[in-house]
Amino acid sequence: MAWYRLAAQAWSFRSDSQREVLIRQIAAQLGELQGRWLHLRVTTRPYPVHMWAESFDNNALGRMPDVAGALGWDGFLEGEQRHLMGLSMSDKEVFLGIEVSGRSMLDRWVEKAAPVLGKVAPAAVRAEIAALESEVRHLDSLVAGSGLDAMPATSDDIAWLMHRSCALGLPAPRTMSMIPGTVTRWETEDLAAFTDGVDMHQEPYAPTVRVVGRIRSQTMSRNVAVLSVGLMEGLRIPEVDDPWMQHSDRLPFPVEWSARIYVRRPEEVAGELQRQMGKVRSQIRHYTHDHDLDPPMSLARQADRVLEVEDELTSGLTQLNTRLYGWWRIAVAGKDESEAIGRAQQVLDIYRPKVQIEHPEAQYRYAREFIPGEPLASTAYRRRGSVTWAAAAVPAATASVGDRRGIMIGETCTATRRPVAWDPWLAQEVRRASGLTAVVGGLGSGKSFLTGVIVYKTLRSGAHWTVLDPSGPLAELTRLPELAPFSRHINLLRADPGILNPYRVVAEPRRDHFLDEEDPERAWRRERSLAAATRRRLVLDVLTGLLPFEVAKLPHSRIVLLRAVREVGGAADRHPGQVIDALRRHAREGEEHAGVVADFLEERRELPQAALLFPDASRDDPWQADRDYRLTVLTMQGMTLPRPGSPREEWTDNEALAVELLNLASWLTQRTIYDADRNLRKGVALDETHFLSQVPTGKVLIDRLARDSRKFNVRALFASQLAGDLLRVSGFASLVNAVFVGRTDDDEAQGEALRLLRVPTGVGYEQMLGTLSPRPRHDDRPDDTPRQFIFADGHGGVEKIRIDLEAPHLEHVREALDTNPDASRVAARGVPAATAYPAVRAPDEPPPRGPEPISGPVLGGPTIDDRRAHRIVDQRIDQRMVLADDLDDDEFAELDDPDGLLRDGNGHRSSSTVLPGGAALLDDEALDLLGDVDVDDGIEIVEGAPGDGRDRSSGEAVR
């Protein structure tokens, strides 16, 4: 027998056509094995917690130092392992043994005489061995194709299979000694390593067999009940029913399968089929001719099947209708006989009424059937059918999602229950894919909780995160003792004026980032031009959004704003106040509408929140602080956002301003990506993403993060209530890598969520999204059950999972992420409960009124000013982006250079194509960027005026 290990096959969230293709592929491979005996074994292996922990520990690069008195790395890793071991989850392993050649008595006699024959006729012995090797290679290529996806079993695989078969029902060891790598051949005497120390006992007519064995010097026993698959109704797989061998995966205890199958040759089955056809026809005639009655429907179905078989015989048996027969056995174990019988009853119940499960006598002989090489116990309960019927069992179907080296985020909750580990940077570092992730779900679906779990656990393993959470619950992470020294919480609405200056939120490229380019100077100037164009477009969109809707929709408003923005330029040291000043100058020069726009902007400027757009020149840039911040949480508590889906004309002034501030805060979030080492594992989490999709520059930001996530090793999480908001961003669906979809009730939203998951629509999966995280209807207790999501890991795995943060060592994290209101958390009337660790304030955030916060070390750790572990080396910032032209007219049809960024060191323009507006474009660069309309070529910008268009390198004024 040649033994193979079958690859796991995904079954959930696939269309019926995809499932039918899988069944046909398996059937075709089985049909090629005519005239051979097969031994199918399905067993389980405990989830390799130690292997995961070792991989996770090795993958935790650059993790943060431990804080005295807080949960350290060793305690965190130990707690994760203990929690996993307590879940008692296992992986399904499927082995297939294929008969290479039959062994008669003569063959066995010749084998014993092989040493003598090798000396007498060595050529004959070598010829037989060469023939066997050729046959094995043929089988290797046959079962390696799509369907079975089998690989030759290793010595370690066979050792595990022998252990699980000889010690049937005994607890599987989490670790077992592997076969030494130098061993290439097993002798017959080596099998005693698996049979010694294990005994099977059976009382006469007992319903179970008792297995007694020694594991690590401990003697233990289990009672095993062996069942056999009996009569089976016609199953509609995959339209209605699941693969019939997969039903046992739903049981809360391990189940072992053993099937002995013989694939019949066409000449062996033709006569038998003819006899069966004659029997059915005779029964039909008995009803119709002898008694003038209609035959039962079951007999009519058999008659239809007879016609199909007759057609198959006429056209010749193909691979997909080759016949076989076999015996399928099921083994369940219990600590005593009553528990084993109770579990056997659960197996019977889960297969009713379409499949009968029998409980035969002679349990000892049936148990021996599970051991490779043992003979068949009995010919009773033989099942006959086609290879397509046997393939519909899909023995390797299981839940397969995630990886084995990332953080533990939960467990699958479909037919198979197994842990789900996910490394957010595996796609970028190994698979060269995007790091874009969508988190979609309605209110209360658990989006914030899931984001907090991912952020906390990846922070512990060395990642750096910047989180924009407008409502603010994730800011509690910055107060956890193990994270507080390396975290900061910035409430943007209480920060210093100008922190959201549109000109400063876009990072400025630096010359040393382009030293590895073929022409560093040219590449650097190009990136500066791109950054300046981005700033001009951003400030134009923001100021337009601040205007009343009736004024903003006027074409002339856009024109005067565009002219003022071009005059101010796109340098990083500008601010929106200079745009208002330019509008005032244009009004004095006769442009009356410019004065109207300036008046509206001045009115908006007086709003308290609008001060965030206008900087205080006396303060330094807080983002240049030399500190090792691993976590930065930006919040905007108190900001009023419009109702999702409401039209722009219904927004109030405060709501319109809130959307623009959210847009700028999102750009400020991404700035941290380009200021850090491009190889560093970074993460950006953005909440309320549905508002970004309504702003042109918001769409550009999403597209930019999606395209740069691989290049800069970023995992970008976009949270939104509706998948359609993300799908409206051009190219988002094609660039998205991983997707989490929580509870979604609306029919249209469900279809869009499935599109984002790349799951077939219209086949019934929409209703499943409405059943995620079921809520109790008649229960006044808080609904704190773990939330469920549909998780697509980005490389083919899609499963329903349950988020898990129930480990005892993470209780403080669970409490920090609990967003449910609870009046008992208030220590006194009107006074919130004090926290043991004060929040870390942003450098540009004004101090709170009242006494200064306590300074000094936290839990014996260093002070904030002393925490300078290392300064991250700046790398090249790639600002490549395509700004979508969302206007109907051609006012953005050309690119000019009001900032003089395309000039060389002598102040001259590069030899290149000159656009109508007077801007120079590099010869081989076709840039689809913000094109500025030259509304009045005859007006000269006064040199030295605020916001002029002077080229700083040459001093020339730009007309």
Side-chain angles (χ1 to χ4, degrees):
M1 303 287 286
W3 282 91
Y4 299 89
R5 182 172 178 175
L6 275 57
Q9 298 290 346
W11 186 262
S12 302
F13 298 98
R14 303 184 73 180
S15 65
D16 288 346
S17 60
Q18 292 173 320
R19 293 170 173 175
E20 289 173 356
V21 168
L22 175 62
I23 292 175
R24 287 197 296 268
Q25 289 172 339
I26 298 175
Q29 290 172 308
L30 294 178
E32 292 286 350
L33 300 175
Q34 296 175 6
R36 299 180 188 272
W37 279 94
L38 312 179
H39 188 182
L40 180 67
R41 277 287 282 116
V42 180
T43 184
T44 58
R45 185 192 293 263
Y47 189 82
V49 177
H50 68 289
M51 295 177 62
W52 166 82
E54 183 178 357
S55 299
F56 182 52
D57 184 65
N58 294 333
N59 191 42
L61 304 176
R63 55 180 178 263
M64 65 180 64
D66 291 344
V67 177
L71 180 65
W73 173 255
D74 292 341
F76 170 74
L77 188 58
E78 180 183 351
E80 293 288 280
Q81 293 181 75
R82 291 186 179 278
H83 181 60
L84 277 177
M85 291 180 178
L87 297 178
S88 300
M89 285 185 281
S90 58
D91 290 334
K92 178 194 287 187
E93 293 190 341
V94 184
F95 296 92
L96 178 64
I98 303 176
E99 183 184 39
V100 179
S101 64
R103 307 292 287 175
S104 63
M105 292 297 296
L106 180 60
D107 293 326
R108 297 182 182 181
W109 178 85
V110 171
E111 181 182 7
K112 293 182 179 180
V116 178
L117 293 177
K119 296 179 181 179
V120 177
V125 176
R126 287 194 299 268
E128 182 183 6
I129 294 177
L132 287 176
E133 291 177 349
S134 176
E135 186 70 12
V136 169
R137 286 194 299 269
H138 169 69
L139 294 177
D140 291 348
S141 62
L142 177 63
V143 300
S146 298
L148 294 176
D149 290 315
M151 293 292 293
T154 65
S155 58
D156 293 338
D157 293 333
I158 295 298
W160 178 260
L161 177 61
M162 292 298 296
H163 170 81
R164 297 294 290 151
S165 301
C166 295
L168 185 66
L170 292 181
R174 294 188 177 273
T175 60
M176 73 176 291
S177 59
M178 299 302 180
I179 305 301
T182 57
V183 176
T184 59
R185 176 180 173 83
W186 288 7
E187 302 296 339
T188 306
E189 294 79 10
D190 296 326
L191 296 178
F194 304 106
T195 58
D196 285 352
V198 180
D199 295 315
M200 292 185 180
H201 308 277
Q202 184 194 14
E203 298 294 333
Y205 305 104
T208 63
V209 60
R210 187 165 174 261
V211 182
V212 181
R214 295 190 303 270
I215 298 180
R216 292 184 179 180
S217 303
Q218 295 183 357
T219 302
M220 57 183 60
S221 65
R222 291 292 186 271
N223 285 72
V224 179
V226 182
L227 312 174
S228 187
V229 176
L231 294 175
M232 184 181 301
E233 292 185 9
L235 300 178
R236 297 176 59 190
I237 303 174
E239 297 85 0
V240 177
D241 302 298
D242 288 332
W244 51 272
M245 285 186 70
Q246 194 186 19
H247 290 188
S248 60
D249 294 343
R250 301 191 182 99
L251 297 171
F253 48 83
V255 175
E256 300 273 336
W257 282 84
S258 175
R260 302 295 180 94
I261 305 168
Y262 178 72
V263 184
R264 309 179 70 179
R265 293 186 176 92
E267 58 271 18
E268 298 175 1
V269 73
E272 182 176 337
L273 288 177
Q274 292 287 356
R275 288 191 296 272
Q276 295 296 332
M277 291 164 53
K279 292 180 181 178
V280 173
R281 287 170 175 164
S282 176
Q283 294 178 29
I284 292 177
R285 283 195 301 270
H286 182 71
Y287 277 93
T288 57
H289 295 163
D290 298 347
H291 299 282
D292 197 18
L293 296 175
D294 293 332
M297 294 184 64
S298 59
L299 192 59
R301 286 195 299 267
Q302 293 183 29
D304 293 338
R305 181 58 184 151
V306 164
L307 295 177
E308 295 177 9
V309 173
E310 186 176 25
D311 180 66
E312 292 172 359
L313 288 176
T314 304
S315 59
L317 290 173
T318 64
Q319 294 175 350
L320 296 181
N321 51 44
T322 302
R323 264 43 184 186
L324 53 76
Y325 59 78
W327 297 261
W328 278 261
R329 318 294 193 196
I330 306 173
V332 293
K335 294 181 179 180
D336 50 33
E337 186 173 286
S338 62
E339 184 178 33
I341 295 177
R343 291 182 171 181
Q345 184 62 42
Q346 294 184 51
V347 175
L348 269 64
D349 295 338
I350 203 171
Y351 276 97
R352 285 177 179 168
K354 295 185 177 181
V355 181
Q356 292 186 15
I357 303 297
E358 309 293 344
H359 192 166
E361 303 292 341
Q363 289 283 296
Y364 175 84
R365 295 183 60 189
Y366 279 96
R368 298 284 298 182
E369 255 189 45
F370 285 76
I371 302 176
E374 288 292 309
L376 191 67
S378 172
T379 58
Y381 308 115
R382 178 166 61 177
R383 306 267 63 83
R384 299 174 179 85
S386 66
V387 289
T388 303
W389 165 77
V394 195
T398 185
S400 179
V401 68
D403 51 67
R404 291 272 176 108
R405 76 173 203 176
I407 60 172
M408 283 291 169
I409 60 175
E411 61 185 37
T412 58
C413 48
T414 51
T416 306
R417 182 169 171 257
R418 64 180 297 273
V420 179
W422 181 51
D423 180 7
W425 291 272
L426 180 65
Q428 301 92 303
E429 296 176 352
V430 178
R431 296 190 171 95
R432 308 302 181 193
S434 161
L436 187 60
T437 304
V439 183
V440 179
L443 293 174
S445 61
K447 298 189 301 295
S448 297
F449 189 86
L450 171 62
T451 302
V453 171
I454 295 173
V455 170
Y456 175 82
K457 291 194 173 184
T458 51
L459 276 171
R460 299 308 308 265
S461 59
H464 292 60
W465 278 92
T466 304
V467 180
L468 174 60
D469 183 27
S471 56
L474 294 182
E476 295 297 323
L477 291 175
T478 64
R479 299 177 175 87
L480 296 177
E482 62 268 32
L483 303 183
F486 312 100
S487 307
R488 60 177 172 179
H489 168 212
I490 302 176
N491 187 345
L492 294 173
L493 300 186
R494 294 204 305 266
D496 277 344
I499 192 173
L500 293 181
N501 176 8
Y503 289 94
R504 61 170 282 173
V505 298
V506 179
E508 178 69 8
R510 298 195 315 204
R511 192 187 302 267
D512 57 337
H513 293 164
F514 303 90
L515 297 179
D516 57 345
E517 292 286 342
E518 183 176 342
D519 188 349
E521 183 71 18
R522 180 184 180 189
W524 173 61
R525 289 184 180 278
R526 178 180 180 276
E527 294 297 332
R528 290 188 65 203
S529 177
L530 287 169
T534 303
R535 295 189 187 98
R536 295 197 303 271
R537 180 61 182 268
L538 185 60
V539 72
L540 180 65
D541 283 347
V542 169
L543 294 182
T544 303
L546 294 181
L547 294 173
F549 178 75
E550 294 77 8
V551 178
K553 71 179 182 180
L554 296 176
H556 205 45
S557 299
R558 186 81 170 183
I559 293 175
V560 298
L561 260 179
L562 174 62
R563 182 183 174 196
V565 169
R566 288 187 61 240
E567 182 176 328
V568 173
D573 59 350
R574 308 302 170 89
H575 61 82
Q578 296 175 340
V579 179
I580 298 179
D581 295 339
L583 289 171
R584 294 294 186 195
R585 287 197 304 275
H586 297 167
R588 291 192 297 269
E589 295 170 359
E591 182 61 66
E592 181 180 354
H593 194 72
V596 174
V597 173
D599 290 339
F600 277 111
L601 292 179
E602 283 287 1
E603 183 181 358
R604 296 293 187 270
R605 186 175 183 175
E606 297 176 359
L607 295 175
Q609 296 178 350
L612 300 172
L613 305 178
F614 303 93
D616 184 354
S618 62
R619 290 184 176 268
D620 297 330
D621 189 349
W623 296 92
Q624 301 300 325
D626 183 14
R627 298 182 180 177
D628 184 22
Y629 287 121
R630 302 296 186 97
L631 173 63
T632 300
V633 180
L634 307 175
T635 61
M636 306 178 78
Q637 289 128 324
M639 181 179 66
T640 304
L641 289 169
R643 179 177 52 84
S646 59
R648 172 66 177 83
E649 55 269 22
E650 295 181 2
W651 295 358
T652 65
D653 293 344
N654 287 334
E655 291 175 344
L657 176 59
V659 171
E660 299 304 329
L661 294 181
L662 180 63
N663 183 22
L664 292 172
S666 302
W667 277 94
L668 183 63
T669 301
Q670 63 86 36
R671 172 179 171 168
T672 59
I673 298 173
Y674 304 100
D675 289 338
D677 190 316
R678 63 186 300 173
N679 297 306
L680 190 70
R681 290 176 178 173
K682 301 172 287 293
V684 172
L686 301 177
D687 200 0
E688 305 290 355
T689 315
H690 45 279
F691 290 108
L692 294 181
S693 64
Q694 303 179 27
V695 185
T697 47
K699 296 180 181 179
V700 172
L701 171 63
I702 296 175
D703 180 74
R704 181 174 180 179
L705 283 175
R707 297 181 185 277
D708 287 350
S709 58
R710 182 193 63 80
K711 200 176 329 180
F712 288 89
N713 206 16
V714 178
R715 175 56 64 172
L717 301 179
F718 291 94
S720 180
Q721 295 182 16
L722 299 174
D725 295 328
L726 299 176
L727 291 173
R728 279 196 292 269
V729 179
S730 178
F732 187 92
S734 60
L735 291 173
V736 69
N737 177 256
V739 180
F740 294 88
V741 175
R743 185 184 180 95
T744 306
D745 295 320
D746 182 71
D747 294 341
E748 182 179 356
Q750 290 171 351
E752 293 172 338
L754 294 182
R755 284 182 52 204
L756 203 58
L757 288 165
R758 298 189 179 97
V759 168
T761 58
V763 294
Y765 291 131
E766 288 82 358
Q767 291 75 13
M768 181 180 293
L769 298 181
T771 62
L772 297 174
S773 307
R775 301 166 184 169
R777 297 181 57 187
H778 306 289
D779 195 344
D780 57 357
R781 293 174 298 179
D783 182 17
D784 55 357
T785 56
R787 293 297 186 255
Q788 297 174 348
F789 286 84
I790 306 300
F791 174 39
D793 58 12
H795 51 276
V798 183
E799 291 292 340
K800 178 180 173 183
I801 69 170
R802 181 187 299 108
I803 305 303
D804 182 14
L805 198 65
E806 300 178 354
H809 68 291
L810 298 179
E811 182 178 358
H812 64 299
V813 182
R814 187 166 59 252
E815 293 178 355
L817 295 177
D818 186 4
T819 59
N820 296 320
D822 187 357
S824 64
R825 297 175 185 171
V826 182
R829 177 178 295 273
V831 181
T835 57
Y837 307 97
V840 181
R841 193 165 43 85
D844 58 350
E845 185 177 348
R849 298 178 181 178
E852 291 292 330
I854 300 174
S855 60
V858 180
L859 286 178
T863 61
I864 296 177
D865 293 333
D866 293 336
R867 289 190 299 272
R868 293 185 174 93
H870 63 278
R871 186 176 181 85
I872 300 174
V873 180
D874 293 315
Q875 298 288 335
R876 168 185 175 185
I877 300 177
D878 193 336
Q879 300 282 359
R880 296 184 180 89
M881 57 185 292
V882 177
L883 290 175
D885 189 352
D886 61 308
L887 301 179
D888 296 333
D889 52 28
D890 59 350
E891 59 175 324
F892 295 122
E894 50 181 329
L895 168 71
D896 65 5
D897 186 32
D899 304 294
L901 296 174
L902 295 179
R903 300 177 183 269
D904 56 23
N906 299 321
H908 302 291
R909 295 186 183 274
S910 304
S911 58
S912 56
T913 304
V914 179
L915 299 180
L921 187 64
L922 298 178
D923 295 336
D924 58 344
E925 305 293 350
L927 304 179
D928 182 14
L929 290 174
L930 167 65
D932 297 335
V933 175
D934 202 352
V935 293
D936 191 351
D937 290 340
I939 297 178
E940 179 178 358
I941 301 171
V942 180
E943 296 185 10
D948 61 10
R950 184 189 309 276
D951 185 350
R952 297 182 182 274
S953 61
S954 63
E956 298 179 359
V958 180
R959 289 183 181 270

